[in-house]
Amino acid sequence: MHDKLTKKDIELMEQELEERRTKIRPAIMEEVKRTRAYGDLSENYEYKAAKEAQRKNDSRTRYLENMIKTARLIDEDRGRPNGVKLYDKVTLYLPEDEEEMVIQVVSTVRTNPDAGLISLESPLGKVVLGACVGDTVTVRVNDAYSYEAEIRAVEQAQDDGSAPLLPY
């Protein structure tokens, strides 16, 4: 499977990967070495914790390497010229709930629905991308449930890198 990533996503992953290789891993290896000297490894909690940290770091490193290697670069400006693009701030009106909400459609590795960062592959993200102010879109959650959302405003924005990468 290839994840759809932006240039900024890949840049953030490369930065994290570099930090894990040059700073975090050497510090963990030093901790493993230090705690190993405590003696009996079968009852050495500090050693076990250091080895667990090493495994987690190595796992995250492999994950980032694989994500970068298999990524499909996406164009942030795709869609209709006046339509919603990735990272634009979109004000939606939900008639069913009689409320407004502001979202940004982001790549799958930077989502945080609680903060209004919605994946471009989510039902909402799919229908909002490319839509224009005044459009009413139908969000199909599943076969049994869908809802309407009206696009009230679109504020053009760029990916400033403030949305962090998901831990996994």
Side-chain angles (χ1 to χ4, degrees):
M1 181 178 168
H2 300 282
D3 283 284
K4 297 174 186 173
L5 304 175
T6 64
K7 288 179 186 177
K8 189 66 159 181
D9 293 335
I10 293 172
E11 181 183 304
L12 290 171
M13 287 181 176
E14 288 172 341
Q15 288 172 0
E16 182 180 340
L17 194 55
E18 181 67 19
E19 180 161 332
R20 286 186 175 280
R21 287 178 178 156
T22 61
K23 295 180 182 167
I24 297 172
R25 190 167 204 292
I28 290 172
M29 296 306 292
E30 186 60 36
E31 182 67 6
V32 168
K33 184 178 171 183
R34 184 183 71 76
T35 58
R36 176 178 221 127
Y38 290 169
D40 184 8
L41 298 182
S42 66
E43 295 182 17
N44 185 338
Y45 174 77
E46 290 85 359
Y47 175 75
K48 289 177 183 177
K51 290 299 281 183
E52 178 63 22
Q54 180 185 9
R55 281 189 291 279
K56 284 182 179 182
N57 186 64
D58 290 349
S59 176
R60 179 68 176 180
T61 298
R62 285 189 303 276
Y63 168 78
L64 292 169
E65 289 169 341
N66 189 49
M67 290 292 286
I68 292 167
K69 183 172 68 173
T70 63
R72 280 191 6 220
L73 197 61
I74 55 175
D75 181 11
E76 296 178 46
D77 293 327
R78 66 186 183 163
R80 294 173 18 195
N82 296 330
V84 175
K85 295 171 184 58
L86 278 178
Y87 294 96
D88 285 352
K89 293 183 181 184
V90 182
T91 303
L92 298 173
Y93 174 70
L94 306 172
E96 186 176 298
D97 299 331
E98 296 182 2
E99 66 180 40
E100 281 190 349
M101 64 187 283
V102 177
I103 65 164
Q104 282 183 286
V105 181
V106 299
S107 63
T108 56
V109 296
R110 313 263 296 282
T111 64
N112 182 350
D114 292 338
L117 302 174
I118 307 299
S119 168
L120 63 96
E121 295 188 13
S122 71
L124 179 58
K126 285 178 183 178
V127 296
V128 168
L129 272 180
C132 297
V133 173
D135 288 353
T136 298
V137 296
T138 301
V139 182
R140 299 205 186 288
V141 177
N142 57 39
D143 290 339
Y145 180 71
S146 63
Y147 63 93
E148 303 278 314
E150 179 189 330
I151 299 179
R152 291 257 171 109
V154 176
E155 178 188 332
Q156 291 185 340
Q158 298 293 322
D159 181 5
D160 60 6
S162 62
L165 292 170
L166 293 174
Y168 273 98

